[in-house]
Amino acid sequence: HCGPVFLLCDFISPLIATDVDLMSKPASYIQFLVQSLDDKKHDVSLYFLTSDNLVRHKSNTPVKNQKGVYGKLQYLKSGTTTQPVLKTKGDDVRIDWGYLYVAAYKNTKIRQSLESTLPGKKLTGYTETKIDFGKIGELPVPQTLLLAYDDLYSIQYFNQDLKAWWKKNYTSTEQMLDKSMEAAVNVMDRCDKFDRQLFADAEKAGGETYAKLCVMAYRQSLAAHKLVRGPNNEVLFPQKENFSNGSIWTVDVTYPSAPLSLLYNPELLKGMVEPLMVYSESGKWIKPFPAHDLGTYPIANGQTYPEDMPVEEAGNMIILTAAICKAENKFDFARKHWTVLSQWVEFLVKDGFDPANQLCTDDFAGHLARNTNLSLKAIAGIAAYAQMARGLGKKGEAGNYHNIAMDYASRWMQMADEGDHYALTFDKNKTWSQKYNLVWDKLLGLGLFPASVAQKEVKYYLKKQQAFGLPLDSRRTYTKSDWILWTATLCEDEKDFQALIEPVYNFATQTPDRVPLGDWHETTNGKQVGFQARSVVGGYFIKMLQQKWTK
């Protein structure tokens, strides 16, 4: 409420994961609605300002602002004078190339200017769109603006500069803006329907608290990615490893985020997985396991992370490939990359069961030898390979690797057993950990472990919970919220599932830290430990995926 005037502001960025053309368009709708609340007429003007800081990394970089028209539109365009395309890389950096647009219909009531005219305020470094609504009564009056960003080039991919996916469909940014404005009503309607459907599906799968968590995670997970058109017109979907090290195409960031894309659009997951396969197949990466990443965002010319995660990434890549095959209900993707998958599975057979001292995706917790949860990943990876071999009609390979996985699984149960739970490492020493990797046995129907293994673990976890979640393992009280959702999906009892996710919701809504949804937090007080705004929260969708695949 602005005194006796009601103002509604809707900010809509269409992120419908089933529609890559729409999702890729870098145009957001800002819809204003004003009306009088006291039966009187009021003169209303609205000032919409955009800062030069939206287009630069450092606040002293010079920016050029200009005005333009195209078709039925008027627009403001802002960008740095230097335009260092794809030159700025790393974490916690802002784009300083490309152009910001604010577009509106050509209309006598909408005036755009290259500086702020806000009454009584002297502001520099802003462009302004002023909407003069005139006399407003009790009937609501709408106006729509478009806010868009054309980055010119999105990433460098093995020394080739690539453009965003949407550019294949338009001759210019101005044309994209014009078509987006024309489609405004239809797009907003589609977004509204999608939102309702997402909530209903999530609620059906895991209840209201679960649905609310999925709503929080959805946009953040997708927004950490960029939809890029590959050299062969393929979908590339690199993510930036936000607030940890700025890597691009990190395998163990793709792995936790995968349930969302598996559920809505496996093409997106292929766009996360396939470039790592290409890296190995090209001979540029010669180790017997996959790379950790392809560089530092937005430069993807090869791994820049200083250390490998051998078992982690080999297990991830094979499991994700099997999951793509299941989601697509065909084995074409595995067939295409069979040679490299066969190399990786051999590595898992040799080094995966009782892993040497190395990093896993929970690298912030330090190195660990004989990690039982990492061992589970290797076992699931070997079994997933066997499943794909069977799907491809390779009966000999399928039988061989299935037998190895079953043998490893029975040995795992003996070696990791601590009575009422399974240990953190095969050394035991009264330790425990979340066995979130076990979830793929259930999702892919691998048949590795009796149901009693997961149930024994879940029963133990319920005794270890804190106010804001289940700790990652017995070493510390901090946790990863994405893994808790995977662990909760092991539950057979709905009550147990709710008991494990409720503290995560408490964290998300009660944490004292005002940052985008974090995935690494302290279970005792809900404080952020590190990480925020990361794609990994797409992992929250695992329960929905499990429900879909069970059907």
Side-chain angles (χ1 to χ4, degrees):
H1 291 200
C2 305
V5 175
F6 175 73
L7 167 67
L8 182 70
C9 178
D10 250 344
F11 190 95
I12 299 159
S13 289
L15 275 186
I16 297 177
T18 51
D19 184 343
V20 289
D21 289 343
L22 177 62
M23 193 174 126
S24 172
K25 278 201 291 190
S28 298
Y29 299 93
I30 303 170
Q31 192 173 47
F32 302 106
L33 201 70
V34 291
Q35 71 183 116
S36 169
L37 292 172
D38 63 358
D39 299 330
K40 293 176 187 166
K41 299 256 184 200
H42 297 280
D43 254 327
V44 175
S45 294
L46 192 143
Y47 296 80
F48 182 79
L49 275 57
T50 45
S51 168
D52 289 351
N53 288 337
L54 290 171
V55 299
R56 60 190 175 191
H57 174 48
K58 293 180 175 162
S59 57
N60 59 356
T61 302
V63 171
K64 184 186 178 192
N65 297 310
Q66 50 197 314
K67 290 162 77 166
V69 290
Y70 180 93
K72 297 176 191 158
L73 296 183
Q74 56 178 321
Y75 62 83
L76 294 165
K77 179 180 176 182
S78 308
T80 56
T81 54
T82 48
Q83 288 298 310
V85 178
L86 295 172
K87 292 288 184 279
T88 308
K89 64 177 185 175
D91 198 21
D92 198 15
V93 294
R94 280 133 296 280
I95 193 168
D96 54 4
W97 68 88
Y99 295 94
L100 174 75
Y101 290 80
V102 184
Y105 277 126
K106 283 190 269 188
N107 184 326
T108 51
K109 293 187 169 182
I110 300 179
R111 300 227 321 264
Q112 293 191 304
S113 58
L114 301 180
E115 53 191 15
S116 166
T117 66
L118 206 59
K121 291 243 189 230
K122 182 100 178 89
L123 291 171
T124 53
Y126 288 88
T127 56
E128 177 187 278
T129 302
K130 181 188 176 189
I131 304 172
D132 185 4
F133 284 96
K135 291 253 186 263
I136 291 295
E138 60 192 42
L139 282 176
V141 180
Q143 280 289 0
T144 302
L145 298 182
L146 264 184
L147 195 59
Y149 204 102
D150 173 16
D151 64 358
L152 306 178
Y153 286 89
S154 297
I155 64 167
Q156 188 173 96
Y157 181 65
F158 298 119
N159 300 302
Q160 188 178 350
D161 293 352
L162 299 181
K163 294 178 179 181
W165 178 265
W166 67 270
K167 292 203 165 221
K168 65 187 259 194
N169 299 320
Y170 301 95
T171 53
S172 67
T173 310
E174 289 81 2
Q175 188 200 29
M176 181 273 294
L177 291 170
D178 196 43
K179 296 288 184 200
S180 296
M181 196 62 113
E182 273 178 23
V185 175
N186 172 263
V187 167
M188 289 181 198
D189 185 48
R190 284 182 64 195
C191 287
D192 190 47
K193 283 193 175 122
F194 184 86
D195 288 353
R196 290 169 198 270
Q197 192 63 53
L198 187 156
F199 194 90
D201 292 346
E203 191 171 32
K204 202 170 170 187
E208 189 185 357
T209 300
Y210 175 67
K212 287 176 178 172
L213 281 168
C214 289
V215 167
M216 287 182 219
Y218 178 82
R219 171 169 292 279
Q220 174 173 306
S221 184
L222 291 173
H225 291 260
K226 182 78 186 183
L227 252 167
V228 180
R229 186 185 187 184
N232 305 307
N233 201 33
E234 71 274 35
V235 168
L236 298 181
F237 201 49
Q239 85 286 82
K240 180 173 181 179
E241 191 176 333
N242 293 333
F243 286 87
S244 46
N245 68 352
S247 287
I248 184 170
W249 262 303
T250 306
V251 177
D252 58 289
V253 172
T254 292
Y255 177 69
S257 76
L260 193 159
S261 46
L262 284 166
L263 186 66
Y264 287 109
N265 192 346
E267 282 302 317
L268 296 176
L269 186 55
K270 280 192 204 167
M272 296 184 238
V273 168
E274 198 161 28
L276 275 296
M277 295 164 151
V278 169
Y279 189 27
S280 279
E281 289 161 349
S282 71
K284 290 188 180 87
W285 178 260
I286 54 170
K287 295 178 183 178
F289 48 82
H292 165 272
D293 61 82
L294 289 185
T296 303
Y297 199 98
I299 307 300
N301 293 333
Q303 178 171 317
T304 49
Y305 196 68
E307 194 169 351
D308 299 326
M309 299 184 185
V311 174
E312 174 71 39
E313 311 307 18
N316 289 347
M317 290 294 284
I318 296 172
I319 289 168
L320 291 172
T321 305
I324 288 166
C325 292
K326 185 169 176 76
E328 293 193 321
N329 206 18
K330 58 183 182 185
F331 293 91
D332 298 10
F333 188 63
R335 183 182 287 110
K336 187 177 172 187
H337 299 288
W338 196 247
T339 304
V340 77
L341 290 167
S342 302
Q343 182 189 332
W344 293 338
V345 79
E346 268 309 301
F347 175 78
L348 287 182
V349 169
K350 198 160 77 25
D351 287 287
F353 174 68
D354 194 349
N357 189 35
Q358 60 190 273
L359 290 177
C360 72
T361 184
D362 305 316
D363 52 356
F364 52 84
H367 290 71
L368 200 60
R370 315 197 70 194
N371 179 342
T372 60
N373 187 46
L374 192 57
S375 175
L376 282 174
K377 179 171 290 184
I379 298 167
I382 296 164
Y385 179 88
Q387 186 178 74
M388 291 185 283
R390 196 175 309 114
L392 290 170
K394 299 174 187 290
K395 286 186 182 156
E397 273 183 277
N400 178 31
Y401 287 102
H402 177 72
N403 290 342
I404 292 170
M406 293 305 290
D407 174 50
Y408 283 1
S410 68
R411 281 167 60 194
W412 188 95
M413 284 188 283
Q414 290 169 330
M415 286 169 62
D417 197 3
E418 285 250 56
D420 60 352
H421 70 282
Y422 296 93
L424 166 68
T425 62
F426 288 126
D427 313 306
K428 299 182 182 173
N429 302 327
K430 298 191 166 50
T431 58
W432 66 274
S433 63
Q434 289 191 44
K435 307 298 188 297
Y436 55 80
N437 287 317
L438 187 58
V439 79
W440 293 104
D441 190 22
K442 187 172 183 175
L443 261 72
L444 293 173
L446 299 173
L448 289 166
F449 293 91
S452 57
V453 172
Q455 292 331 298
K456 181 152 96 169
E457 280 290 282
V458 166
K459 200 172 166 187
Y460 189 78
Y461 297 151
L462 291 167
K463 298 176 193 164
K464 294 293 175 184
Q465 287 219 97
Q466 302 282 345
F468 296 99
L470 174 68
L472 186 65
D473 57 49
S474 49
R475 289 175 290 178
R476 303 282 288 273
T477 53
Y478 59 52
T479 196
K480 290 280 273 100
S481 60
D482 45 346
W483 297 145
I484 293 178
L485 270 289
W486 287 38
T487 295
T489 303
L490 295 171
C491 298
E492 293 301 328
D493 189 325
E494 177 62 24
K495 281 206 311 294
D496 293 345
F497 176 78
Q498 296 300 333
L500 284 168
I501 68 160
E502 191 71 46
V504 178
Y505 181 74
N506 292 343
F507 153 71
T509 52
Q510 295 169 32
T511 175
D513 300 296
R514 305 295 296 154
V515 298
L517 187 59
D519 53 287
W520 179 18
H521 71 268
E522 185 49 72
T523 60
T524 53
N525 56 19
K527 281 188 175 173
Q528 175 191 26
V529 179
F531 305 160
Q532 65 197 49
R534 301 205 316 155
S535 65
V536 301
V537 294
Y540 289 11
F541 285 79
I542 196 156
K543 179 70 171 170
M544 283 172 81
L545 183 68
Q546 183 251 322
Q547 290 285 79
K548 182 181 178 180
W549 282 1
T550 303
K551 283 175 190 157

